Amino acid sequence: MYNPKKIEKKWQRYWEEQDLHQAKDFSRKPKKYILIEFPYPSGKGLHVGHCRPYVALDIVARKARMEKFNVLFPMGWDAFGLPTENYAIKTGIHPITVTKKNTAFFKRQQKSLGLSFDWNREINTTDPNYYKWTQWIFLQFFKKGLAYKKKIPINWCPSCKIGLANEEVIDGCCERCDAKVTKKEKEQWILKITKYAERLINGLDKVDYPERVKILEKDWIGRGEGYEVVFKFKSQTSESINIFTSRLDTIFGATYLVIAPEHPVLEKLRPQIKNFKSVEKYIEKTKGKLERERIAKTKEKVGIRLEGISAINPATGKEIPVFIADYVLMHYGTGAIMGVPAHDQRDFDFARAYNLPVIEVIKPYSQKGKLPKKAYLIVSNGRFKKAYEGEGILINSGRFNGMESGKACQRIGDFLVQKEIAKEAVHYKLRDWIFSRQRYWGEPIPLIFCENCAAEMRKRVSKIKGRKPNKGESLNPGWITVPEKDLPVKLPRVKKYKPTETGESPLAEIKHWVNTKCPKCGGSAKRETDTMPNWAGSNWYYLRYCDSKNDKKLASSKLLRKWMPVDWYNGGMEHTTLHLLYSRFVYKFLWDIGIVPKSVGPEPYKKRTSHGMILGEGCVKMSKSKGNIINPDDVIKEYGADTLRVYEMFMGPFEEAIAWNSKGVKGARRFLDKVWKLKDNVNQKSRIKNQGFKKLVHKTIKKVSDDIEHLKFNTAISCLMILVNEIEKQENIPLKYYSLFLTLLSPFAPHLSEEIWSELGHKKSIFLHKWPKYDPELIEEETFTLVIQINGKVRDKIETNINISEKKAKKLALSQQKIKNWIGRNKIKKTIFVPKKLINFVI
């Protein structure tokens, strides 16, 4: 009787003792680096949703090893993060203790699944030997001038008392604790990811990522091509403002300007703004709003007019009013827009609210061709109904009337460039990455602030004490890098983890740690007390797996050349604009400065795939409150790890969300029970002469092999089930075919396959056996379905010989009664024959 409890632990110990899953740094076999996102080890442990991608990539890794690849399939822990810190605040248990306990729990669960991770390369982002290099990477950003400190309005979680990146705010709430997020001004360390915006977009053309992943990243970066145009203010000041537009063909319809409430030009215009007190109140009110609130499409567009200020439309020469409004953001474009209400719905809504003129300058194309429609936007009472945002033919645009939009953009651009009031420009929605967190459980930022050095830098004296400042020190006066020989800057143990009411990190309270000596001038100085975000350690971990024990370098160039880039990386869609984007940025930087050899290439991952979520029964999301979370430990205890593995791969398409079904688990167990029982009917001397059975075997080899590579695990298992049913019909099962079947099953159900393989007399592990290859001649179909068309429409189908000639196909088709009825007395003008597909009669 099949008893998983007896065999699974035995084979897990055997694989570990034999180092069957260990990648070889100096093997001559072709390498394959397969990577799954390493988890945050929460106290809840694994749930069945975690298991789905782990098992899937484990199947890919096991098959690759049997194909004689040198496979690197590592695992580690992304263990810094707010949940552990919040737990420590609540219980008083130190985060180090919590993390150690949680990782041990996770690891035990992962091993119980029979996952073939190379545990010799295990990493943990909270290990000082690891975060030494996370700190080192930050220092390189700083030295190259790509890290700077600035006081900015940030997303603030009043519960966690930390700043959040835009990506960590979900529907206006903190990603971690679900508290309502507010705005707060605070000094933050920031990384210049925007310097890499264009390369992050272009790099997507070089990789095998799902199209939806590429679209999400491109939309998040938000590249916009257009023109920056100068609008002069008509006032006692000589000030002007630049606006960015990608639709210069609409500039003749610009009837007002809108400026972001944070724009510095407002301070310069202050003396001329007659209602500045009201403007100030509006600005203060805006400071408390989240960015997503401000730009929400459903939000009513409100602003305030700058009385005493107007601007000149450079295309028409006409005077137009100027407003400030919170739907315009300072960081996108130039922080100011021209309002074209006839051709932008947002501008149209704003114009209607403030009774501003609407001038139509684009007529839509008619259905007959590139001719303008009449009165598209006009309703019976003569008022505009809505904005037309498409392209068309220009009207009310002076010398450019009658031009098509695309051509007009270029011509108007040339015209304004010649007048030196416009220039071509590219802007991005992407913002620089906020890299500070006011919390304890994170990597300390390896910088020291020295007031003496800051004063020296501010004076711009010709002779600065000590060494010459690097770019970062020049951009951030007084901030000095910790010498690399002193890394890591270790996170000190504290008794209180709660952030202060002022928003400072708990580290600020540890005076003996904060107060230090300046490594540059030797004077009194203070350590930076902010820590890095929880994404810091995960942005380069895939590089550390290549050389995880190296204490001299992040990783040796030789081993980076050996293993990088990652051949296959699987992760959640929710990380597309977070971890995936950030890690590509960090990798490109390390590639630029020569840490990653140039021969490796400019992208870290060749291929990216994503998995769907596992829902609770009834297609509802699993949650603690609903009491429908499925613990894999419970499933393994009752049915065995192989049953869980087979069920999760069989339950539906890998990339789609699918509901858990307890009956399906029992079905997977019945399948494995059947496989187990068949071993008693195996006969070493038995032979099968049935050609149809042999064809089925080889078609199964091809199907399972292809399906694993395309993550079609459910159809692969379906094929294995069909083959088992055919094997079951044999009185004496040939050892050759049963063994072959086991090799195909082994990546899915490794414990059961290994046990039966051993019982059949094989001395070595099944995973040291070669992956089977199909015979091309035995997978050829003998028949196919001939589609019969009349005038291109399908009228009948018939099964026939695969090698049928056109003459015989025509004769066969015309003999069918349906076809006779359709053709009737009509004459066949032409016959089109596509071998192995169709025949079409034109009548």
Side-chain angles (χ1 to χ4, degrees):
M1 183 179 174
Y2 171 43
N3 186 345
K5 290 180 182 177
K6 281 188 176 181
I7 66 172
E8 289 182 347
K9 293 291 182 187
K10 176 179 83 172
W11 289 111
Q12 288 163 15
R13 284 193 300 271
Y14 174 80
W15 296 328
E16 195 164 341
E17 288 165 4
Q18 297 298 313
D19 276 335
L20 287 189
H21 308 142
Q22 188 173 348
K24 311 297 182 186
D25 285 334
F26 304 105
S27 169
R28 291 185 179 181
K29 291 180 182 178
K31 71 92 177 178
K32 188 163 281 190
Y33 187 173
I34 298 166
L35 184 64
I36 187 81
E37 286 177 346
F38 64 166
Y40 171 77
S42 71
K44 298 172 186 175
L46 290 178
H47 58 73
V48 289
H50 288 110
C51 301
R52 194 180 193 189
Y54 294 164
V55 172
L57 272 290
D58 184 60
I59 289 166
V60 173
R62 286 181 179 277
K63 173 177 172 282
R65 290 192 194 98
M66 294 172 80
E67 290 173 319
K68 303 310 172 188
F69 281 97
N70 181 19
V71 175
L72 173 54
F73 185 43
M75 179 46 62
W77 315 104
D78 189 12
F80 274 129
L82 270 176
T84 301
E85 183 167 319
N86 288 341
Y87 184 80
I89 292 169
K90 187 177 178 181
T91 64
I93 302 172
H94 198 281
I96 292 175
T97 306
V98 175
T99 299
K100 190 174 181 180
K101 180 184 174 184
N102 290 353
T103 52
F105 183 28
F106 259 69
K107 189 172 181 178
R108 194 269 303 162
Q109 286 186 300
Q110 288 181 337
K111 286 189 172 185
S112 73
L113 285 163
L115 302 171
S116 62
F117 293 130
D118 181 353
W119 289 108
N120 292 302
R121 296 171 187 259
E122 181 181 2
I123 58 174
N124 189 317
T125 57
T126 66
D127 179 356
N129 292 322
Y130 179 89
Y131 70 68
K132 166 185 178 178
W133 299 106
T134 307
Q135 292 175 337
W136 182 87
I137 290 169
F138 178 84
L139 289 184
Q140 309 319 304
F141 275 115
F142 183 84
K143 290 173 183 177
K144 297 293 181 182
L146 293 174
Y148 62 98
K149 197 166 196 182
K150 184 180 179 182
K151 192 170 188 178
I152 57 170
I154 62 167
N155 302 312
W156 180 257
C157 175
S159 174
C160 299
K161 293 187 172 63
I162 62 163
L164 303 171
N166 284 337
E167 298 89 335
E168 294 171 312
V169 180
I170 309 298
D171 296 326
C173 297
C174 174
E175 179 190 49
R176 294 294 184 185
C177 71
D178 215 32
K180 183 76 175 173
V181 174
T182 61
K183 279 286 183 183
K184 184 172 184 175
E185 282 206 342
K186 193 152 188 64
E187 280 202 335
Q188 300 285 301
W189 284 105
I190 301 168
L191 296 185
K192 293 185 181 180
I193 190 174
T194 51
K195 292 285 185 183
Y196 282 73
E198 191 70 19
R199 288 172 61 188
L200 287 167
I201 292 173
N202 294 340
L204 293 171
D205 295 332
K206 299 179 175 71
V207 291
D208 179 13
Y209 289 5
E211 196 57 34
R212 58 181 180 157
V213 170
K214 291 185 178 184
I215 289 169
L216 273 172
E217 286 217 346
K218 286 178 180 178
D219 286 350
W220 188 261
I221 296 167
R223 186 182 195 276
E225 289 185 18
Y227 287 85
E228 279 189 24
V229 185
V230 179
F231 278 69
K232 291 183 178 179
F233 293 112
K234 187 181 179 182
S235 63
Q236 295 177 359
T237 178
S238 59
E239 294 295 333
S240 62
I241 195 166
N242 286 15
I243 66 97
F244 172 72
T245 179
S246 58
R247 289 295 305 272
L248 200 57
D249 55 328
T250 66
I251 192 169
F252 284 85
T255 59
Y256 63 94
L257 277 189
V258 183
I259 301 172
E262 305 89 350
H263 204 295
V265 76
L266 292 171
E267 193 57 38
K268 295 176 182 178
L269 295 174
R270 182 173 184 160
Q272 282 77 43
I273 300 173
K274 294 178 180 179
N275 58 335
F276 195 75
K277 284 188 177 180
S278 299
V279 170
E280 265 188 322
K281 286 181 182 177
Y282 183 88
I283 292 170
E284 282 303 310
K285 190 177 179 182
T286 301
K287 285 179 181 178
K289 292 183 180 180
L290 294 179
E291 184 176 304
R292 293 183 189 192
E293 287 179 64
R294 290 172 59 174
I295 63 176
K297 288 184 179 180
T298 54
K299 173 185 171 292
E300 183 185 357
K301 306 297 181 284
V302 293
I304 185 167
R305 185 168 180 172
L306 303 183
E307 293 177 13
I309 302 291
S310 60
I312 304 298
N313 183 325
T316 64
K318 292 181 180 178
E319 192 173 336
I320 57 176
V322 182
F323 291 77
I324 63 166
D326 61 9
Y327 74 87
V328 178
L329 303 176
M330 185 62 221
H331 67 84
Y332 182 62
T334 61
I337 64 161
M338 62 179 190
V340 186
H343 303 292
D344 183 291
Q345 191 59 42
R346 181 187 59 176
D347 296 346
F348 181 81
D349 295 339
F350 190 86
R352 288 288 291 270
Y354 292 93
N355 200 27
L356 299 168
V358 180
I359 301 172
E360 186 181 16
V361 293
I362 305 284
K363 282 285 186 187
Y365 296 127
S366 69
Q367 291 179 350
K368 294 180 180 178
K370 292 192 173 179
L371 296 170
K373 283 183 179 179
K374 292 183 178 179
Y376 174 81
L377 300 171
I378 307 295
V379 291
S380 57
N381 63 2
R383 293 194 69 188
F384 288 100
K385 184 170 61 175
K386 63 177 181 177
Y388 171 67
E389 296 183 326
E391 295 188 346
I393 306 297
L394 266 67
I395 61 171
N396 299 323
S397 300
R399 69 174 80 178
F400 306 102
N401 282 343
M403 285 187 187
E404 294 175 25
S405 292
K407 186 178 181 181
C409 275
Q410 188 63 53
R411 288 289 188 86
I412 296 171
D414 292 343
F415 170 67
L416 296 177
V417 168
Q418 283 181 350
K419 294 178 72 174
E420 297 184 345
I421 51 175
K423 63 180 180 180
E424 291 186 73
V426 174
H427 284 274
Y428 303 91
K429 290 180 183 176
L430 181 70
R431 297 176 70 173
D432 281 338
W433 179 12
I434 299 172
F435 208 71
S436 290
R437 297 294 184 272
Q438 294 70 42
R439 67 177 190 216
Y440 170 71
W441 193 233
E443 301 92 337
I445 292 175
L447 292 174
I448 291 169
F449 185 77
C450 174
E451 190 57 60
N452 291 334
C453 290
E456 291 285 303
M457 287 293 291
R458 291 190 195 104
K459 290 177 188 174
R460 297 184 181 276
V461 293
S462 57
K463 290 183 179 179
I464 300 173
K465 292 179 182 179
R467 59 173 169 76
K468 185 180 177 182
N470 56 48
K471 265 190 182 179
E473 291 168 351
S474 298
L475 289 169
N476 304 280
W479 286 104
I480 310 299
T481 57
V482 170
E484 290 181 12
K485 66 179 178 63
D486 294 337
L487 297 180
V489 176
K490 290 186 178 180
L491 191 62
R493 275 186 171 268
V494 297
K495 292 181 180 179
K496 295 179 181 179
Y497 319 107
K498 195 171 183 179
T500 62
E501 290 302 320
T502 61
E504 283 188 298
S505 162
L507 295 176
E509 308 260 317
I510 311 171
K511 302 303 179 187
H512 70 273
W513 183 82
V514 173
N515 297 319
T516 187
K517 296 288 183 182
C518 173
K520 187 179 175 186
C521 72
S524 298
K526 293 181 182 293
R527 293 188 187 278
E528 172 59 84
T529 58
D530 283 359
T531 54
M532 297 185 197
N534 54 306
W535 308 104
S538 65
N539 291 316
W540 68 278
Y541 78 112
Y542 48 91
L543 298 172
R544 188 62 175 173
Y545 281 140
C546 299
D547 195 7
S548 61
K549 304 293 192 296
N550 195 329
D551 61 352
K552 304 295 182 187
K553 291 182 178 181
L554 183 151
S556 77
S557 296
K558 186 175 182 178
L559 290 179
L560 289 174
R561 275 192 293 268
K562 166 77 177 178
W563 292 111
M564 290 297 294
V566 174
D567 294 285
W568 190 332
Y569 190 20
N570 188 86
M573 279 297 293
E574 70 275 15
H575 295 148
T576 301
T577 54
L578 292 163
H579 160 69
L580 187 61
L581 185 67
Y582 290 160
S583 63
R584 291 179 59 227
F585 161 53
V586 171
Y587 175 87
K588 286 177 183 294
F589 171 71
L590 294 174
W591 188 70
D592 286 348
I593 65 173
I595 300 305
V596 177
K598 288 290 183 281
S599 60
V600 172
E603 287 289 331
Y605 321 116
K606 281 186 181 180
K607 179 179 181 178
R608 171 80 174 185
T609 53
S610 293
H611 54 276
M613 184 185 296
I614 292 183
L615 303 170
E617 300 209 33
C619 288
V620 294
K621 192 172 181 180
M622 288 189 187
S623 70
K624 199 172 181 180
S625 61
K626 292 186 177 76
N628 63 349
I629 292 175
I630 308 293
N631 188 329
D633 290 349
D634 297 334
V635 181
I636 292 170
K637 185 178 180 180
E638 186 171 357
Y639 299 103
D642 285 344
T643 296
L644 177 61
R645 289 171 65 108
V646 169
Y647 170 65
E648 290 217 8
M649 296 301 97
F650 187 57
M651 65 194 304
F654 180 69
E655 71 281 357
E656 294 179 13
I658 198 83
W660 186 266
N661 186 324
S662 299
K663 290 180 181 178
V665 180
K666 293 174 183 176
R669 175 58 190 263
R670 284 196 299 270
F671 166 62
L672 296 181
D673 282 336
K674 183 185 289 188
V675 173
W676 180 266
K677 289 173 184 175
L678 287 176
K679 69 183 174 64
D680 296 330
N681 297 333
V682 173
N683 188 319
Q684 194 162 1
K685 295 179 181 179
S686 180
R687 298 287 183 271
I688 287 181
K689 294 180 180 179
N690 184 332
Q691 196 69 3
F693 179 80
K694 290 180 181 178
K695 281 179 172 289
L696 176 62
V697 169
H698 284 268
K699 285 178 183 177
T700 304
I701 294 171
K702 184 180 188 304
K703 178 68 174 164
V704 172
S705 299
D706 291 346
D707 282 355
I708 288 174
E709 293 304 313
H710 295 96
L711 299 179
K712 295 180 178 179
F713 304 110
N714 55 328
T715 54
I717 292 172
S718 179
C719 279
L720 291 171
M721 289 176 171
I722 292 169
L723 182 56
V724 161
N725 290 338
E726 288 302 311
I727 293 173
E728 192 179 27
K729 293 175 184 178
Q730 312 302 316
E731 285 186 24
N732 292 303
I733 302 168
L735 176 63
K736 172 185 174 182
Y737 288 107
Y738 188 61
S739 296
L740 194 151
F741 167 77
L742 286 174
T743 60
L744 294 175
L745 179 66
S746 62
F748 299 89
H751 309 89
L752 175 138
S753 302
E754 190 79 276
E755 178 70 15
I756 297 174
W757 185 262
S758 175
E759 286 190 23
L760 291 175
H762 296 284
K763 301 298 182 186
K764 291 185 177 180
S765 168
I766 192 171
F767 297 106
L768 296 176
H769 191 68
K770 283 187 179 180
W771 185 257
K773 292 184 178 180
Y774 63 87
D775 184 337
E777 291 183 6
L778 290 174
I779 66 166
E780 282 292 324
E781 296 286 352
E782 292 180 355
T783 63
F784 79 108
T785 302
L786 177 67
V787 175
I788 307 170
Q789 297 178 339
I790 296 175
N791 292 341
K793 293 185 177 179
V794 178
R795 298 305 183 192
D796 204 359
K797 296 177 182 179
I798 188 168
E799 195 76 13
T800 187
N801 188 285
I802 193 79
N803 296 315
I804 192 170
S805 65
E806 181 176 353
K807 185 178 179 180
K808 287 184 178 180
K810 183 176 181 180
K811 185 178 179 180
L812 178 66
L814 292 174
S815 70
Q816 306 304 304
Q817 191 58 49
K818 280 186 182 179
I819 302 304
K820 287 178 181 179
N821 294 341
W822 276 105
I823 293 176
R825 295 182 180 181
N826 293 304
K827 184 181 178 182
I828 297 173
K829 297 178 181 178
K830 187 178 181 182
T831 302
I832 301 167
F833 176 64
V834 181
K836 301 179 183 180
K837 287 189 178 180
L838 62 84
I839 189 164
N840 180 29
F841 299 113
V842 181
I843 61 175

